[in-house]
Amino acid sequence: MHETTRRSGVWKFVTYAFILLMAVVTIVPLYWVLVASTLPEEVFLSSTSLPLFPGDAFFENFRALQARESVNFIRSIGNSVLIASVYTLLSVLLCSMAGFAFAKYEFRFKEPIFYTILATLVLPIQLLVIPLFLLMSQLGLMNSYWAIILPWAANPVGIFLMRQNMKSVPDTLLESARMDGATEFQVFYKVVLPTLKSALAALATILFLFQWNLFLFPLVVLESDKYTIPVAINQLVGAQRVYYDQIMVAAGLSIIPIFLLFLFLQQYFVKGIIGGSIKE
């Protein structure tokens, strides 16, 4: 009994130590970016150690960022918010419908199709850039928001997450709705989706982050007026000079929408991820 209690205490200490270490690893770079965005560039470059305290040059750095002709930072924020929001809504709908089909219906080649979709996860984005570029060009969607939204709308991670969560919905609940005269779409929309709010919130957060951080494909298919945040920040790295002060301001401000989204959905996020991992 005493030995079991001691082992439990050791594991609890190791767990908390690991969580604390991960928190430090996550928070320190974020804090450093925010502090660096408030420092004059000469102070930032001449510092031999990580700055600990913020300065008073944030608005000066922001004005310099806004004055650049090659980067419209405010517009790039708007582009990213619009693209990520539309993509998230569309992808959540498609992934939910696909997950519902794989979890609750029987059809030929269901398992091979599902595992083929999962197998696409091993394909790196770099491998898909050229075929997707040619496809978007043939569809006449170059330099449009849809060129960034449509290729990733049916996300394999989203389909897997929703399939696992929808397995937890009792079949008797669906049969009761059908006996009451509900159509298949009404069963999906009015019975299944309301029971999976946590999973939907977790999926929305993952998809929004994926689209927000997408860099290579937007760089290839978009022009300057439709640049997203990662592409806009990349324009601050010149051949002759790197504008560190403006990069830090842009990076710091680009965190705000993600922070607000996670703050709004965080109560559902953990439940949704855990629910998808234990249902099989």
Side-chain angles (χ1 to χ4, degrees), residues 36-40 57-65 245-246 249:
S37 68
T38 65
L39 298 175
F58 175 81
F59 291 105
E60 179 183 345
N61 295 338
F62 181 73
R63 283 193 292 270
L65 175 63
D245 53 341
Q246 298 170 34
V249 171

Side-chain angles (χ1 to χ4, degrees), residues 46 51 64 137 172 174 181 203 234 253 259 267:
S46 61
S137 178
T172 53
L174 308 185
L203 177 61
N234 182 63
L253 292 176
F259 178 76
Q267 61 177 320

Side-chain angles (χ1 to χ4, degrees), residues 130-142:
I130 293 178
L132 288 176
F133 176 87
L134 295 175
L135 179 61
M136 292 300 110
S137 178
Q138 292 174 356
L139 293 175
L141 296 177
M142 293 295 291

Side-chain angles (χ1 to χ4, degrees), residues 18-202:
F18 180 75
I19 292 173
L20 179 62
L21 176 63
M22 291 297 102
V24 171
V25 170
T26 303
I27 292 174
V28 168
L30 178 62
Y31 177 76
W32 183 71
V33 168
L34 296 178
V35 170
S37 68
T38 65
L39 298 175
E41 187 177 27
E42 58 273 15
V43 175
F44 173 77
L45 294 177
S46 61
S47 178
T48 57
S49 60
L50 295 180
L52 297 179
F53 303 104
D56 56 359
F58 175 81
F59 291 105
E60 179 183 345
N61 295 338
F62 181 73
R63 283 193 292 270
L65 175 63
Q66 282 294 91
R68 294 187 62 80
E69 295 181 355
S70 61
V71 178
N72 188 331
F73 177 71
I74 297 300
R75 175 150 189 172
S76 67
I77 284 273
N79 290 337
S80 283
V81 171
L82 176 62
I83 291 173
S85 299
V86 174
Y87 167 78
T88 300
L89 292 174
L90 178 62
S91 190
V92 165
L93 176 62
L94 293 178
C95 292
S96 300
M97 295 175 72
F100 182 56
F102 283 116
K104 296 299 180 184
Y105 291 98
E106 295 297 331
F107 51 89
R108 292 184 67 183
F109 307 118
K110 185 176 80 170
E111 294 301 318
I113 292 174
F114 176 71
Y115 288 110
T116 301
I117 292 174
L118 285 188
T120 61
L121 286 172
V122 303
L123 299 177
I125 290 179
Q126 292 83 351
L127 188 65
L128 303 174
V129 167
I130 293 178
L132 288 176
F133 176 87
L134 295 175
L135 179 61
M136 292 300 110
S137 178
Q138 292 174 356
L139 293 175
L141 296 177
M142 293 295 291
N143 194 34
S144 71
Y145 296 136
W146 291 112
I148 309 301
I149 294 171
L150 292 179
W152 325 102
N155 191 294
V157 174
I159 294 173
F160 173 76
L161 182 65
M162 295 313 299
R163 172 185 178 265
Q164 297 304 98
N165 278 278
M166 286 185 178
K167 281 179 174 289
S168 66
V169 179
D171 292 337
T172 53
L173 184 63
L174 308 185
E175 291 301 325
S176 298
R178 289 169 181 144
M179 292 177 65
D180 289 339
T183 64
E184 290 303 305
F185 180 76
Q186 288 173 328
V187 170
F188 169 74
Y189 179 70
K190 294 185 177 180
V191 178
V192 176
L193 291 187
T195 64
L196 297 174
K197 290 181 179 178
S198 297
L200 293 172

